[in-house]
Amino acid sequence: MPDRTPLFAANWKMHKTVEETESFLGDFLSNPPDPVADVVICPPYLSLGPAIARCADTPVGVAAQNMHEEPEGAFTGEVSAPMLVELGVDGVILGHSERRQYFNESDEALARKVPAALLAGLEPILCVGENESQRDSDETVGVLTRQIEADLSEVPEDRLGDVVIAYEPIWAIGTGRTASPDQAQEAIALIRGMIEARSGEAAGRVRILYGGSVKPDNAAELISQPDVDGALVGGASLDAEEFASIVRFREHVAR
Ligand code: PEP
């Protein structure tokens, strides 16, 4: 992993009340995370404010799990990038496969959301990945190419390196079936190559995470791959000790 600081993002999905968020952070922050890794917690909207207050003056950042592409308007139930920034949010997950699958999140919307997040000052974490039948029928390269080309189409070259990309094979999310380190490396190198085709500078800078059943016992091997810059963690991030153990992956690297 050249000069890129590893990033660990905890995607809590629709888990944890405000009280549970505060309890998690009390435990997690009692043992400060690896100072050479960036760590971001992504709780549900209602816990963003309390999490920001609890993480103030700590190295832990806070990100949202979604946002609307418009800054304001008649979009009942939605939240915009400037609203997140006003609250003190650092970043936002965009295009998670659950949002694509259950909420019809489209590549067209993502092509607007990613630059809107950047413009507002949020670090977007764009999720891409193939499902099981697409992998089985050798469509992985095509799926990743389509998603990366479409979702980043409106991001100017000089901002491409500011986007975080998470390669999340859908068949590995919440299933306990982790991609092998070789599979993760191959897909992430392919994505880096797509960025390289637009900007060599961005390709060297862009952080590309792996996500899908990352646990304390498989994190080190995955993140030690040359192109893997950290992890987006779902289930295992709900437990402060498990997530802290993943963040301290260097302690588990085989010597
Ligand atoms: C996710 O939802 O982004 C994810 C990677 O989940 P899990 O770690 O539970 O597979």
Side-chain angles (χ1 to χ4, degrees):
M1 190 164 33
D3 288 340
R4 299 181 294 270
T5 304
L7 170 64
F8 294 86
N11 177 18
W12 287 356
K13 315 190 184 197
M14 197 173 70
H15 291 288
K16 294 198 192 292
T17 60
V18 169
E19 197 179 321
E20 289 164 344
T21 299
E22 285 172 341
S23 161
F24 173 100
L25 289 170
D27 293 341
F28 187 70
L29 294 169
S30 67
N31 197 353
D34 183 341
V36 292
D38 289 340
V39 178
V40 67
I41 306 286
C42 315
Y45 284 131
L46 293 175
S47 286
L48 287 170
I52 289 162
R54 192 67 187 75
C55 292
D57 302 321
T58 80
V60 176
V62 177
Q65 299 175 16
N66 180 39
M67 54 162 244
H68 196 275
E69 60 268 35
E70 292 294 336
E72 63 179 0
F75 302 106
T76 302
E78 291 291 316
V79 167
S80 74
M83 293 171 188
L84 295 172
V85 170
E86 182 194 42
L87 201 63
V89 169
D90 301 298
V92 59
I93 298 174
L94 294 174
H96 190 280
S97 60
E98 287 152 15
R99 292 215 58 86
R100 293 180 191 254
Q101 186 178 352
Y102 304 130
F103 302 98
N104 299 321
E105 178 96 281
S106 66
D107 288 318
E108 290 72 28
L110 289 164
R112 302 183 65 205
K113 286 187 182 196
V114 180
L118 287 169
L119 193 68
L122 295 169
E123 181 170 59
I125 304 176
L126 172 70
C127 302
V128 295
E130 80 288 358
N131 64 29
E132 186 163 26
S133 74
Q134 289 165 333
R135 175 156 282 263
D136 290 346
S137 50
D138 284 334
E139 290 173 60
T140 301
V141 174
V143 170
L144 295 179
T145 305
R146 273 198 304 280
Q147 289 180 331
I148 292 289
E149 279 182 1
D151 301 351
L152 297 178
S153 58
E154 301 303 319
V155 176
E157 272 63 36
D158 66 342
R159 296 302 314 269
L160 268 181
D162 299 326
V163 179
V164 174
I165 301 170
Y167 167 60
E168 297 214 304
I170 296 169
W171 47 271
I173 296 181
T175 60
R177 277 182 61 200
T178 317
S180 70
D182 284 348
Q183 285 173 321
Q185 167 59 26
E186 190 183 15
I188 289 177
L190 177 87
I191 294 169
R192 199 176 299 287
M194 294 174 203
I195 303 296
E196 171 103 55
R198 288 186 55 190
S199 160
E201 180 273 334
R205 198 157 62 85
V206 67
R207 292 191 287 186
I208 312 182
L209 317 182
Y210 167 77
S213 297
V214 173
K215 308 282 178 222
D217 62 358
N218 61 26
E221 218 189 338
L222 286 159
I223 296 151
S224 301
Q225 298 302 307
D227 281 290
V228 181
D229 301 323
L232 180 52
V233 186
S237 74
L238 294 170
D239 181 272
E241 215 174 296
E242 263 193 89
F243 187 51
S245 172
I246 291 171
V247 171
R248 289 196 296 269
F249 73 100
R250 288 179 210 277
E251 293 171 14
H252 314 298
V253 174
R255 283 161 220 282

